[in-house]
Amino acid sequence: MSNTSPPLAVLVKGWPRLSETFIAQELVALEAAGHSFEIWSLRHPTDVKRHPLHDQLQAQVNYLPEYLYQEPDRVWRARNVAQTLPGYAEAYRIWRTDLKRDPSHNRIRRFGQACVLAAEMPDAVLGMYAHFLHTPSSVARYAAIIRGLPWSFSAHAKDIWTSPDWEISEKLSSAHHGAAFGATCTGFGAKHLQEMSDDPTRVDLIYHGLDLGRFPAAPDRVWRKAGDPLHLMSVGRLVEKKGFDNLIAALALLPEGLDWHWTHIGGGDLKAPLEDMAIKAGINHRINWRGACDQPEVIAAMRAADLFVLPSRIASDGDRDGLPNVLMEAASQRLPILSTAVSAIPEFITTGSHGLLADDAPECLAEAMLKIARHPDQAAEMAEAALSRLKCEFGMSPGITRLSQRLTAMLAGQ
């Protein structure tokens, strides 16, 4: 294979994905910082629309077998190649140990994908970087052991809080072929991972931040008055951890005299039951379910809204948000914010200063919405403060600089 190939292989769960534009933002910035890499995706795209960032990326995108039975010849050919590589026996041993603790089809698929990755990666690759600590990092770890390469990861939310402790600890341990380093996007998550690592310096807090150059300048809003209609909006997948069932219940509690309308942007498996819930509550005529939208559509909706609402909560399986980028996007458009104090959201929003953080119970969300509706001057002040904090403390450049340093050091064997 050609030595002109990039020295870094980036592993992602799926590409491109509208719900993971923070990954695209980071990779575009890494290219701008001088890094050359190829993307290896575990899944094929399912989104109909693309984000403008996806078209900016220069990296070649390769797709691993999404399911092993779909490409048996490719998988067995790769397995034969992988078995000739020096680290195969050790990788196989570790995988068998993992399989005893997690006897799942997914665990089998991870090793098959790792064999394909190890066999097909160019010889020029010097290291690997995986987005998400669960499945992508498992594939990266097995492939890295097979090839004798260092690997690293970026962890976000679900991958931290739903992965078993034994797996996280081993991925953060040098004795178990753990990562050269790990990055995570919240102080809340970084503290948790540092406590599980054999070396806390292995884990870096690197906020995604927001590349404000990708967004139009905040509009000079004409702020609504207390008696005016209230246009709320949310962006987020219709999944349990986003808490939209609680929001619908809260909207149903708002007084008759408040003229409100809610726009939701995003796909998700809970669309049908949530719409049914709204119909039964008699409020679905006030809701606009827009489905997945691209960035220009999202920004236009934010500029037309009076309040951004994200009622995040901890799901029954432990899954939760990290620090959702949509909160920073809303702040970039001087849009008042109502959210919850889940996970790392308070790292950006101090309640009463940059927005309101309510308990996720419907009664509390309804009370917070009424407070904002009745006190638009306070909402405007909080929106200004959130925009100022975004510009001063949550820009993208410092995080990209730190990540670039860690990747460069890993590829240099330091």
Side-chain angles (χ1 to χ4, degrees), residues 348-362:
F348 178 55
I349 301 293
T350 301
T351 191
S353 297
H354 312 99
L356 286 185
L357 300 182
D359 186 273
D360 64 10

Side-chain angles (χ1 to χ4, degrees), residues 17 36 96 106 110 138 144 157 164 179 217 258 324 359 363 374 413:
R17 283 186 167 180
S36 179
R96 292 289 297 183
N106 185 35
R110 293 182 200 186
S138 292
L258 181 62
D359 186 273
E363 297 81 6
R374 290 169 176 167

Side-chain angles (χ1 to χ4, degrees), residues 172-212:
L172 289 168
S173 166
S174 55
H176 293 88
H177 302 277
F181 75 89
T184 190
C185 52
T186 69
F188 189 68
K191 182 175 184 293
H192 180 71
L193 294 180
Q194 286 164 350
E195 290 172 348
M196 299 185 74
S197 175
D198 62 349
D199 177 6
T201 64
R202 193 188 301 273
V203 178
D204 257 352
L205 167 59
I206 298 178
Y207 285 116
H208 294 145
L210 203 66
D211 179 5
L212 290 169

Side-chain angles (χ1 to χ4, degrees), residues 219-225 228 306 334-336 376-377 379-381 383-384:
D220 292 324
R221 289 185 174 272
V222 178
W223 297 103
R224 61 177 291 280
K225 296 188 169 45
D228 291 347
D306 301 310
R334 202 179 265 116
L335 179 59
D377 289 348
E381 290 173 5
E384 293 289 356

